[in-house]
Every structure is written in C-alpha cells, then in structure tokens.
Amino acid sequence: MKKSLFCLLLALPLLFSQCSSNSQLSQAKALGNCRYTLASADSIYLAGIDVRQLRKLEDLNPARFPRLAAGLLTRNIPLDARINLDITNPTNKMAGINQLEYRVMLAGQELFNGFLNQRIEVQPGGGKTRVPVRLNTNAYQLLTDSKTRDAFTQLVQNLSGASGTQPSKLTIKIKPTLDLLGKQVNYPGYITIDQDVTNKILLGN
C-alpha cells in the first residue's frame, strides 16, 4: 500500500505536466482558428518624427527634417510604432498562449520581427481580446531600396492619416511558442494575417 502511494506521488508531477501540455496544445490550436484584425496604430515615429507630420510625399524630404537626413547618412532610420491587434475566438474552446513570435511583412520584405512575452487569452464563443504590440526597426533599407521604397512611402502616408492614398497591404505572421514538459516548442507553421492598412488606421476605423 505504501509502495503504491509512493509511486502515485512520484507520478503526480508528470501527470500535471502532461495535462498542462495538452491544455497548451488545445489553446494554441484554438488560437490558430481565431480571427485577427489590425484595429489601430499609434505612437508612430520615423527617425524621431511623428508621422502625422509626413502626410504629403514631399514631407519626406530630408532637407526639412535634420534627423531624417542624419539617418540617411548613418544608414539608421528608426521606425517605432504600437499596433493594436484584435483577436476574436469563434470556437467553443479557450484560446491562449504565453509567448509568440511575430513577423510583419511589406511588399514581400520583413518590416518588423520579435517576440511577445505575455499571457494572451481569448474566451470562447465570440470572445475578443485586444493585444498591443510595440514594434521597432531600422527602416533605412525599406526607404532606399527601389523594390520597397514606394510601398514603404505609401505605408508611412497611410499611418500618418494622409488623404487620397491607396491602402497598404501588410502580412502579419505569428507563431505561438509552447512550453511542453519544460521545453520551448514552436507551434507548427505561422498563423498568417493579410491586412489592408488605410489612412483611417490612426483613428482605429
């Protein structure tokens, strides 16, 4: 009897760990079935310049902004922003994750990448959660490369709220990271979100 009780006590941590792993997998799968919307963006700065000052194409003239000119010379043009991602869960299971990797693509080129270390939960049956994500990158290559310059300039104008601009197409890829039996394991494949960014993005419309 004592031996059986001892074996049971030894097995409990493994059983709890296995249950936790199964729960994580279930919640991550539900996250893959959620709907994602880029709700809004704010606190957007290019080379320290509030993008609301860059509503016209000619506003991107380095002669007007010494910081932009300096960034071109040093090949370092920081782009900082915060996006607010809405996640809606249409399934009948809780969706959740503790950490995820993200990539944001523009015109086939990577614009941002990083990890988000926070607990994200979306209740079943149409529950919605808004996740703020802080982004930063060096935009020098995007601004100077002929393959991406026009798309990036258009994106800046849309982020600034400029009128008369065509929507910018962003692709957001996220990959949950799971803690299974003490090991960090990536969710198989990326969850891909294709999003049109319009000049209403600052207003959250």
Side-chain angles (χ1 to χ4, degrees):
M1 180 68 177
K2 290 182 179 180
K3 185 177 179 180
S4 299
L5 181 60
F6 179 71
C7 291
L8 178 60
L9 290 173
L10 286 178
L12 280 176
L14 182 61
L15 290 173
F16 284 132
S17 180
Q18 186 65 49
C19 289
S20 175
S21 296
N22 291 339
S23 177
Q24 284 191 62
L25 281 170
S26 175
Q27 291 184 13
K29 287 179 181 178
L31 198 69
N33 292 321
C34 287
R35 295 193 297 266
Y36 297 82
T37 305
L38 181 56
S40 62
D42 54 51
S43 305
I44 309 164
Y45 294 90
L46 180 66
I49 306 161
D50 190 327
V51 294
R52 288 174 293 185
Q53 299 181 51
L54 305 174
R55 295 195 173 192
K56 298 178 182 177
L57 190 59
E58 53 268 27
D59 290 337
L60 282 168
N61 185 347
R64 290 194 57 202
F65 298 101
R67 289 184 181 181
L68 186 55
L72 287 168
L73 289 173
T74 60
R75 299 190 175 189
N76 182 23
I77 303 176
L79 172 63
D80 301 286
R82 185 179 70 176
I83 65 171
N84 298 300
L85 190 66
D86 280 351
I87 307 176
T88 305
N89 182 5
T91 76
N92 61 0
K93 296 181 179 179
M94 169 72 79
I97 201 67
N98 293 325
Q99 183 188 71
L100 59 83
E101 175 190 351
Y102 63 81
R103 300 172 65 196
V104 182
M105 316 291 290
L106 173 69
Q109 299 295 315
E110 190 168 275
L111 183 59
F112 301 101
N113 68 75
F115 287 88
L116 188 63
N117 291 296
Q118 70 178 64
R119 177 65 181 168
I120 298 171
E121 287 187 355
V122 193
Q123 297 295 324
K128 180 184 289 187
T129 297
R130 175 162 293 186
V131 181
V133 183
R134 176 64 66 178
L135 306 172
N136 56 78
T137 191
N138 181 1
Y140 174 82
Q141 193 69 28
L142 292 161
L143 191 57
T144 57
D145 191 329
S146 60
K147 296 178 182 178
T148 56
R149 182 173 51 239
D150 290 347
F152 180 70
T153 300
Q154 181 175 295
L155 175 65
V156 170
Q157 288 184 280
N158 276 313
L159 291 174
S160 73
S163 59
T165 56
Q166 294 297 314
S168 297
K169 295 187 180 297
L170 286 183
T171 297
I172 303 172
K173 294 177 175 287
I174 63 174
K175 179 186 287 187
T177 301
L178 309 175
D179 185 3
L180 301 181
L181 301 179
K183 295 182 179 180
Q184 295 294 315
V185 179
N186 283 331
Y187 183 80
Y190 282 93
I191 300 167
T192 300
I193 311 142
D194 291 315
Q195 179 78 49
D196 282 348
V197 176
T198 71
N199 58 3
K200 305 294 187 183
I201 195 69
L202 279 171
L203 301 176
N205 295 330

